[in-house]
Amino acid sequence: MRYRPLGQTGFTVSEIGLGCASWWGKRAFDEAEAIRLVHAALAGGVTLFDTGAAYSEGNAEPRLGRALKGRATDGLVIATKAGTRHDGRRVVRDFDPAAIEASVEASLKNLGIESLPLLQLHGPALSELTDGFLDKMSGLKHRGLIRALGVNSFDPQVIAHAADHAEIDVVMVDYNILRPERAPLIAQAAARGKGVLAGMALAMGHTGGQVLKLRRPRDVWYALRAFKNHRADVAKGARFGFLADIPGMTGAQAALAYVLADPNVSSAVIGTTRLAHLEDNLAASGMSLPSEAMARIERAQL
């Protein structure tokens, strides 16, 4: 595993980060299996673990805490999100500063840590990132509740706005082989000293035009989510079937190598529920795409 600085936070993070959300965090997914994946990631050199208070009906964050219990966490960047939460029935947005503070305090208990390395505001609206609001968020740093503040958004305007504020240390954007247009935004954020996390680094597995084998309930769940929310990405991803034919790497490794070819990206965050998939992804750290493969990717992106 190779490591990169997370902007000017003082943290270094593994090139591949583990996203602890979606099916991984659901009660329907065996907890022992979920914990084994976290432990395998730790053994593979992963130091960035990304979760959220609202993820997996609220079960992902405490599950990550249980997975890390008894493990040394001093060298880890454990990131969670606030501004959204699950009320037992649905996801609720609440960017009131008092609600954010309460969310942080709950997250610290769930994760079993005394200070949160990275808090990310989860999908804030542009109008919510006021100077007064960000000043109150900085107060969480001064009190030692958090060490770094980030914004996770797939809205380029929100990311550009966040990158212009000194209070924001990290941005998380949807950057992958299907989103090359994010590169200038990433460069802008990095030029302002922000750490950049690439969310959806594998484009949710939609690249390659592969036929999904529905072997387990998790496969059905992911397939239905893709059909409901990401049809355009599934169609666009079919152009990249050639990724699996690049010598010396798998299709997933090629997709991650594309993301990590951008030196402004601190870490590519992936999610998985299979050990073989995790190990394949971790091996992408340090890989480089051949120039002819990069050229073909760029042609397919047009």
Side-chain angles (χ1 to χ4, degrees):
M1 181 64 67
R2 297 188 182 185
Y3 301 86
R4 300 185 180 187
L6 185 61
Q8 297 177 356
T9 63
F11 294 125
T12 57
V13 289
S14 49
E15 285 192 336
I16 308 296
L18 183 64
C20 299
S22 300
W23 191 263
W24 176 90
K26 287 184 176 290
R27 290 179 175 85
F29 183 51
D30 181 67
E31 176 141 329
E33 191 173 352
I35 289 175
R36 278 194 294 272
L37 286 165
V38 172
H39 292 173
L42 288 167
V46 171
T47 61
L48 172 68
F49 293 86
D50 179 69
T51 191
Y55 287 164
S56 309
E57 291 83 44
N59 191 55
E61 188 181 77
R63 173 170 282 181
L64 178 58
R66 292 189 290 273
L68 294 174
K69 187 175 182 180
R71 300 278 171 149
T73 59
D74 290 348
L76 303 182
V77 177
I78 302 169
T80 194
K81 301 181 180 73
T84 58
R85 58 183 173 81
H86 200 277
D87 69 357
R89 296 177 301 165
R90 59 190 177 89
V91 174
V92 177
R93 293 182 82 263
D94 192 345
F95 280 86
D96 182 271
I100 300 289
E101 181 176 339
S103 182
V104 168
E105 290 175 345
S107 294
L108 292 173
K109 291 179 181 178
N110 286 336
L111 294 166
I113 54 180
E114 294 182 356
S115 180
L116 188 63
L118 174 60
L119 173 70
Q120 300 190 80
L121 302 171
H122 192 204
L126 200 61
S127 60
E128 290 169 322
L129 296 178
T130 64
D131 291 343
F133 173 80
L134 292 174
D135 185 61
K136 290 180 179 178
M137 294 301 97
S138 291
L140 299 176
K141 288 187 199 176
H142 300 322
R143 293 168 54 193
L145 294 176
I146 68 173
R147 294 180 62 187
L149 179 66
V151 168
N152 172 208
S153 175
F154 298 158
D155 182 337
Q157 288 186 311
V158 170
I159 293 298
H161 180 77
D164 280 336
H165 285 76
E167 296 89 347
I168 301 299
D169 305 295
V170 177
V171 294
M172 187 175 193
V173 301
D174 53 336
Y175 182 53
N176 53 56
I177 210 164
L178 303 183
R179 302 277 194 280
E181 67 275 11
R182 297 291 189 252
L185 185 66
I186 289 170
Q188 174 188 332
R192 288 163 170 73
K194 313 305 177 185
V196 179
L197 302 178
M200 293 178 61
L202 283 173
M204 304 184 77
H206 299 324
T207 57
Q210 298 139 342
V211 177
L212 181 65
K213 295 179 181 179
L214 305 180
R215 294 174 293 181
R216 297 185 182 182
R218 72 188 83 167
D219 303 324
V220 175
W221 184 84
Y222 280 114
L224 290 174
R225 184 177 69 168
F227 181 76
K228 178 183 178 184
N229 300 324
H230 304 284
R231 294 187 199 181
D233 282 346
V234 172
K236 188 185 294 185
R239 303 176 192 170
F240 297 91
F242 63 87
L243 294 179
D245 300 324
I246 298 173
M249 60 180 67
T250 66
Q253 289 168 349
L256 289 171
Y258 171 84
V259 172
L260 292 171
D262 189 329
N264 295 315
V265 171
S266 300
S267 183
V269 180
I270 60 98
T272 186
T273 56
R274 289 185 169 87
L275 181 59
H277 182 233
L278 174 66
E279 292 172 342
D280 181 64
N281 288 180
L282 299 189
S285 178
M287 286 187 172
S288 298
L289 285 167
S291 57
E292 58 271 20
M294 183 64 83
R296 189 171 180 184
I297 288 170
E298 291 171 352
R299 289 196 298 271
Q301 290 171 331
L302 297 176

